Amino acid sequence: KDEIEAHGYYLINEGTSLQNLCTIIGSSNPATIIVSEAYTLTASTTVTSNITLEFSNAGKITLGAYNLTMNSIPFAPARQIFNQNSTGTVTFGVGSVKEVYPQWFGAVGDGTTDDTTAISSTISAMSAGQTLFFPQGYYKLTDEISYTKAINIDGKGQYSQIFQSAANKSNFIIGSSATAVNGMSFKNVYLLSASTTNTTALLKLRNVHRSEIDVMMYGSYHGIYLQGGLLNNIKVIKYSILGKDDARTLREKNKISETIKLIIPPFNQ
């Protein structure tokens, strides 16, 4: 153990809590804390930018009632490393990570497992400017994913499929009338849905501006629902855009591919 620690490596499962290890290491010298077994937080903890959490074997952190703030990039495969089993949350600090994976929070992407909570938990942990990357898989939703932060969505194109299985739910709702979202991107994923309700869409953009949308779509009652957007660059394969303004106004406010048909909604949302 002493030899390992002399080289800046620490083991989390040897009687010392993660909080104590972070205190011992401090915030100056680079160090790695190895999480090789299941571990439960005993206090709210901040991992500073000089400390790397390396997850190996069955290593996973269960939060319980405590919060974990990550200001560094975890070294981990695309599998579950955080278990939010109670009120505790994970937060990735601004500038701490570039990409976050839904698998870190329990998403499976096998087309059978409900990945809604895992994806929502991942987004809740993220800060503006960070990217949620969907590895190849078929991610099943049973409810809507809603958020009002300028994060980026990315994936492996047609191989990263996100399917809404509920008959009356949209896939994603971004922004709100009260909160604008500026400068986000949503690209390289394939959105699908079994919804048949005329108030649902694969992607609802409300008060979203200066953003890039480049996705494949199939199913749902509508493709994109666009309300109050300015200067967005939208490219969609195999679908149409639903707008709250007339078609001319929508094209003047946003850069929309001419191959996309604009539909003016007959309903009030």
Side-chain angles (χ1 to χ4, degrees):
K1 176 183 175 182
D2 292 338
E3 183 178 354
I4 291 174
E5 293 184 358
H7 288 83
Y9 287 85
Y10 297 79
L11 302 177
I12 197 174
N13 294 306
E14 293 201 359
T16 303
S17 70
L18 177 59
Q19 182 191 40
N20 287 340
L21 279 178
C22 290
T23 300
I24 291 169
I25 294 168
S27 59
S28 301
N29 297 322
T32 299
I33 297 176
I34 300 173
V35 186
S36 60
E37 299 176 8
Y39 172 78
T40 301
L41 281 184
T42 57
S44 293
T45 303
T46 296
V47 179
T48 50
S49 59
N50 60 303
I51 300 174
T52 299
L53 291 189
E54 180 177 327
F55 292 84
S56 62
N57 300 326
K60 178 171 62 176
I61 294 177
T62 295
L63 278 77
Y66 301 105
N67 301 325
L68 177 63
T69 300
M70 296 287 299
N71 289 322
S72 64
I73 304 173
F75 185 77
R79 65 161 177 82
Q80 187 171 14
I81 58 174
F82 301 118
N83 178 25
Q84 294 184 235
N85 64 328
S86 185
T87 57
T89 60
V90 177
T91 300
F92 293 104
V94 176
S96 60
V97 295
K98 291 184 178 180
E99 286 187 349
V100 181
Y101 305 95
Q103 281 79 0
W104 286 355
F105 290 81
V108 179
D110 62 358
T112 301
T113 303
D114 182 1
D115 291 324
T116 308
T117 299
I119 295 171
S120 293
S121 296
T122 309
I123 292 173
S124 295
M126 298 171 66
S127 297
Q130 296 173 346
T131 296
L132 171 54
F133 187 89
F134 286 88
Q136 179 173 334
Y138 192 81
Y139 301 86
K140 178 183 176 181
L141 303 180
T142 57
D143 203 348
E144 295 166 333
I145 305 291
S146 300
Y147 58 93
T148 56
K149 59 179 75 173
I151 62 170
N152 304 309
I153 303 294
D154 204 352
K156 300 285 288 184
Q158 63 180 323
Y159 303 107
S160 297
Q161 302 183 8
I162 306 171
F163 172 69
Q164 177 59 263
S165 61
N168 60 345
K169 301 288 184 180
S170 296
N171 289 40
F172 289 86
I173 302 174
I174 305 173
S176 70
S177 58
T179 305
V181 175
N182 288 279
M184 69 92 178
S185 67
F186 201 111
K187 60 184 182 179
N188 298 325
V189 293
Y190 194 174
L191 301 179
L192 308 100
S193 177
S195 177
T196 55
T197 305
N198 69 350
T199 56
T200 61
L202 291 164
L203 189 58
K204 285 189 175 183
L205 305 176
R206 288 174 163 157
N207 208 5
V208 174
H209 314 286
R210 299 174 179 85
S211 297
E212 180 182 358
I213 312 297
D214 188 353
V215 294
M216 298 181 68
M217 292 182 163
Y218 186 80
S220 189
Y221 199 90
H222 298 293
I224 290 182
Y225 172 89
L226 182 62
Q227 179 181 7
L230 292 170
L231 303 177
N232 294 300
N233 186 5
I234 301 174
K235 180 182 178 182
V236 180
I237 299 177
K238 293 184 178 178
Y239 228 98
S240 58
I241 290 181
L242 173 74
K244 292 291 285 186
D245 297 314
D246 61 76
R248 179 179 177 181
T249 302
L250 283 172
R251 291 200 188 277
E252 288 175 349
K253 290 181 177 180
N254 304 277
K255 182 180 179 182
I256 300 174
S257 171
E258 289 297 327
T259 60
I260 298 172
K261 181 181 179 182
L262 295 174
I263 302 175
I264 309 306
F267 54 88
N268 184 23
Q269 283 184 270

